[in-house]
Amino acid sequence: MDLVALIAAGVALAAALVATYVAIAALRELKKIRAQTRLTREEREERGVRQSLKDEGFTDEEIADALRATGISRE
């Protein structure tokens, strides 16, 4: 009976280790997705600023210079 209990405990431990590994992998993937979302948010902000300045009558060159100077643009 003790051998059966020991084997069952080993199997349970192995299952817990596998579950932990899967959870860590899922968290890493979520971190990647969040980084992509943040990048997309920054791109949207840049586009909004560009459009606002364009609506104000600034040229594309003036807008690019202003965005680079303020650090909004990644160009």
Side-chain angles (χ1 to χ4, degrees):
M1 228 23 177
D2 290 331
L3 182 60
V4 174
L6 186 60
I7 291 172
V11 170
L13 179 61
L17 288 173
V18 169
T20 301
Y21 177 79
V22 170
I24 290 171
L27 288 173
R28 286 183 180 155
E29 199 62 32
L30 180 61
K31 185 177 179 182
K32 289 178 190 176
I33 292 169
R34 282 187 174 174
Q36 291 171 349
T37 303
R38 187 169 31 252
L39 182 65
T40 303
R41 212 175 292 140
E42 290 168 354
E43 289 171 345
R44 280 195 302 243
E45 177 185 341
E46 181 181 336
R47 288 184 188 137
V49 171
R50 281 184 187 276
Q51 188 59 48
S52 295
L53 291 173
K54 192 169 239 140
D55 292 345
E56 293 286 327
F58 290 97
T59 65
D60 289 336
E61 186 176 308
E62 291 171 326
I63 293 170
D65 290 342
L67 291 176
R68 274 194 299 275
T70 59
I72 292 175
S73 179
R74 292 183 313 273
E75 294 176 359

